[in-house]
Amino acid sequence: MPLPPPPPPAHLATWPDRAALLADRSRALQALQGGGLGLGRLVLLWLTGVLALFGWVMLCMPLLWLGSGDVMGFVLGPVCALLGLAALVPAVIIVVRGARNDRRVRELSEEWIELDEERQSVRALRSPGLSLAWLLLSLVPCIGGLWISFGGTHAANNRYEAVLALGAGTLLWVTGLLGVAKANGHRQWVLGMLGNSRTSRPVH
């Protein structure tokens, strides 16, 4: 979903009155909230984690044939490694773009917030339900990742299983940690915005 544009410069603002400004400001902030903390972003984070897990599994597959002398391993090993990289690289790109999107969402939100001293729209950005959903749902892969990393590695019967469990658990843990950090960061940002006294720009 595309983000709303930034507010026009003060000398180009054409709102007929303060009520019109606040209405546009509220709509923009709601759209920005959906682009930053919406459940769609949480689903994207989970899908990115699944993509990274698939890439790790493919990268670990050559370990099954390492030292076995199996001819098929020489053929399938490089193919699996390439498939793994083809999945891991996009997953990293998605995470980086997500971080940039979050930064842009905050920048645009602050620009719209600074238009007026009204703070009810800013308080609505706290969205305790969404933040709690992000936090609780992100704890699931965090806990699962730690359990797989330690329990799976301890129960592994060979090098392949140990490396697979350690990497998969770490990726799950990182996926959950990103969600937890996002929920907490959003809450701290909104509280900081509410705590700051800002001077509104004049409406023309």
Side-chain angles (χ1 to χ4, degrees):
M1 182 180 67
L3 298 176
H11 65 283
L12 295 179
T14 57
W15 288 286
D17 50 38
R18 185 169 182 255
L21 181 149
L22 292 179
D24 284 349
R25 179 175 177 261
S26 178
R27 282 191 291 267
L29 291 177
Q30 289 176 4
L32 288 165
Q33 180 187 33
L37 203 66
L39 291 179
R41 292 295 306 278
L42 179 59
V43 172
L44 177 62
L45 177 62
W46 279 47
L47 291 178
T48 303
V50 171
L51 181 63
L53 282 174
F54 172 77
W56 182 253
V57 171
M58 289 295 100
L59 277 178
C60 290
M61 287 296 290
L63 293 176
L64 284 173
W65 300 297
L66 190 64
S68 65
D70 189 352
V71 177
M72 290 299 296
F74 290 103
V75 178
L76 296 178
V79 174
C80 290
L82 288 175
L83 286 174
L85 289 175
L88 280 173
V89 171
V92 173
I93 292 175
I94 292 173
V95 171
V96 172
R97 287 184 175 178
R100 291 177 178 173
N101 179 82
D102 291 341
R103 184 167 60 249
R104 183 56 179 162
V105 165
R106 292 188 181 184
E107 291 173 352
L108 289 173
S109 297
E110 289 173 4
E111 291 179 19
W112 279 101
I113 289 171
E114 288 175 354
L115 284 176
D116 196 273
E117 61 186 4
E118 184 266 341
R119 284 295 177 265
Q120 188 60 37
S121 298
V122 183
R123 293 187 185 94
L125 294 178
R126 287 185 296 180
S127 299
L130 273 176
S131 296
L132 184 61
W134 268 82
L135 180 62
L136 295 179
L137 292 176
S138 296
L139 286 176
V140 175
C142 273
I143 297 172
L146 290 174
W147 181 79
I148 291 174
S149 293
F150 292 101
T153 304
H154 178 73
N157 297 315
N158 51 53
R159 177 173 48 189
Y160 165 74
E161 292 180 0
V163 173
L164 180 63
L166 182 61
T170 301
L171 288 173
L172 277 174
W173 180 75
V174 169
T175 300
L177 189 62
L178 288 173
V180 171
K182 184 178 177 67
N184 182 68
H186 176 80
R187 178 178 179 276
Q188 296 299 325
W189 172 74
V190 174
L191 292 178
M193 292 298 297
L194 289 172
N196 291 336
S197 57
R198 297 182 180 273
T199 303
S200 61
R201 300 194 301 192
V203 180
H204 298 282

